[in-house]
Amino acid sequence: MAQIIDGKQVSASVKQEVKDEAAKLREEKGLKVGLAVVIVGNNPASRVYVNNKKKACEAVGFQSFEYALDENTTQEQLLDLVNVLNRDDRVNGILVQLPLPKHIDEKTVIDAISPEKDVDAFHPVNVGRIMIGDYAFLPCTPAGVMRLIASTGTKIAGKQCVVIGRSNIVGKPMAMLLLHESGTVTVCHSKTKNLKEICLGADILVVAVGRANFVTGDMVKEGAVVIDVGMNRLDDGKLCGDVEFESAEKKASYITPVPGGVGPMTIAMLMKNTLTAAKQQNGLA
Ligand code: GUN
């Protein structure tokens, strides 16, 4: 039976580290860390995420600046706001909540965020830096996964690591981070043949496909570390991951639950990135 990786506990310790450091910056340098969060429209899930990000800012002693824009905001208006925030010294990090309404091109907006304030690490400059291993910010979800793996004491070097999913936000950067730690990395996706066979070779299995119960226990190697990035809402309203927990936990050595696994880490890593941004912008990192 697997040990459960407690994402809430690990995220609390990350947030505590950030809080302590932010307090030190305030006391010793008179610096207050600030995060701007921009949301366009009324997507209910985005609303929940943005509220959680604001609460996390308060908890670690950051200032948060929320810009809740109307669904009909034009791309130009949004770009104008991003440019104002790029120049605002109180704002160390800028996060534009995705998805954006259909009439706004996400890529154009992401490209407009100053890479130094891009705490999501979505800007092409930051994506490129991750590729060459010279990064200030890591994208929040993969960074959270790395921290969860570290919390188990598992060494990544030389291990067979399988990532299922190839999104720009999770799968691709996840593969890079595992590679930087000298894992032997395989990236699987919807066209992959022999998925079960490949998964059965994984010492570390990271699943980010967005399909409920996609990975079942018969695909998990005995003793594997299983990280479930999925967050699927079932018809009955229940949250469930991409991994069928009951069967997978019988095989894994460590496994993340949903909820309470990767989810809480993402916001904690966002706070960490914002702190890093503030330090860098003030010549302290
Ligand atoms: N929407 C869902 N996840 C994210 C995220 O990590 N960052 C942003 N900006 N939007 C999101």
Side-chain angles (χ1 to χ4, degrees):
M1 215 57 155
Q3 286 196 53
I4 313 289
I5 304 172
D6 186 346
K8 281 193 205 152
Q9 195 188 333
V10 181
S11 86
S13 77
V14 172
K15 282 193 272 189
Q16 188 61 48
E17 285 167 27
V18 172
K19 185 178 177 179
D20 292 346
E21 232 186 301
K24 226 170 104 188
L25 279 183
R26 250 193 334 272
E27 284 154 22
E28 293 176 8
K29 312 275 177 194
L31 240 175
K32 189 141 179 134
V33 180
L35 174 68
V37 182
V38 182
I39 176 170
V40 185
N42 307 310
N43 181 319
S46 291
R47 198 56 263 169
V48 173
Y49 290 136
V50 165
N51 284 342
N52 287 340
K53 287 168 188 175
K54 260 172 54 187
K55 276 190 221 152
C57 281
E58 275 166 36
V60 299
F62 292 178
Q63 274 184 293
S64 70
F65 307 94
E66 185 188 329
Y67 298 84
L69 307 182
D70 188 83
E71 179 80 26
N72 298 319
T73 302
T74 65
Q75 179 165 310
E76 216 175 344
Q77 287 168 326
L78 180 56
L79 290 174
D80 284 346
L81 173 62
V82 168
N83 282 321
V84 167
L85 297 174
N86 280 340
R87 290 192 299 266
D88 187 337
D89 288 341
R90 298 169 307 158
V91 173
N92 304 111
I94 302 171
L95 183 142
V96 178
Q97 186 66 29
L98 304 179
L100 289 168
K102 290 208 167 36
H103 64 278
I104 299 178
D105 181 45
E106 287 185 354
K107 186 174 156 25
T108 304
V109 175
I110 289 169
D111 286 359
I113 298 172
S114 160
E116 286 68 38
K117 296 191 176 185
D118 167 40
V119 285
D120 268 323
F122 291 170
H123 189 286
V125 164
N126 288 322
V127 174
R129 285 180 179 152
I130 289 157
M131 185 92 183
I132 58 177
D134 168 30
Y135 37 74
F137 315 125
L138 295 176
C140 302
T141 300
V145 171
M146 293 302 280
R147 185 84 183 220
L148 289 178
I149 296 171
S151 79
T152 68
T154 304
K155 295 280 172 276
I156 294 169
K159 296 279 164 57
Q160 296 289 340
C161 305
V162 172
V163 178
I164 314 182
R166 55 171 155 179
S167 69
N168 288 331
I169 293 182
V170 183
K172 284 186 210 169
M174 190 72 246
M176 277 303 135
L177 299 190
L178 291 164
L179 188 57
H180 289 321
E181 293 296 323
S182 302
T184 302
V185 184
T186 305
V187 182
C188 299
H189 46 77
S190 55
K191 296 278 191 295
T192 298
K193 298 200 171 88
N194 309 327
L195 181 67
K196 178 174 170 179
E197 199 180 358
I198 295 169
C199 288
L200 278 170
D203 303 307
I204 297 170
L205 180 60
V206 181
V207 192
V209 279
R211 282 168 63 181
N213 299 325
F214 182 78
V215 166
T216 45
D218 59 328
M219 299 162 78
V220 175
K221 178 178 172 176
E222 198 70 47
V225 175
V226 178
I227 308 286
D228 187 351
V229 183
M231 183 79 85
N232 309 290
R233 183 79 62 185
L234 299 178
D235 289 340
D236 64 5
K238 266 202 196 142
L239 269 184
C240 117
D242 292 347
V243 176
E244 189 185 72
F245 188 85
E246 291 70 25
S247 57
E249 80 161 334
K250 294 191 174 76
K251 306 282 282 299
S253 57
Y254 292 92
I255 189 168
T256 57
V258 176
V262 174
M265 293 304 294
T266 300
I267 291 187
M269 300 322 274
L270 175 68
M271 298 299 115
K272 195 168 162 59
N273 279 349
T274 307
L275 177 76
T276 302
K279 290 200 303 195
Q280 290 204 329
Q281 286 156 29
N282 289 280
L284 301 168

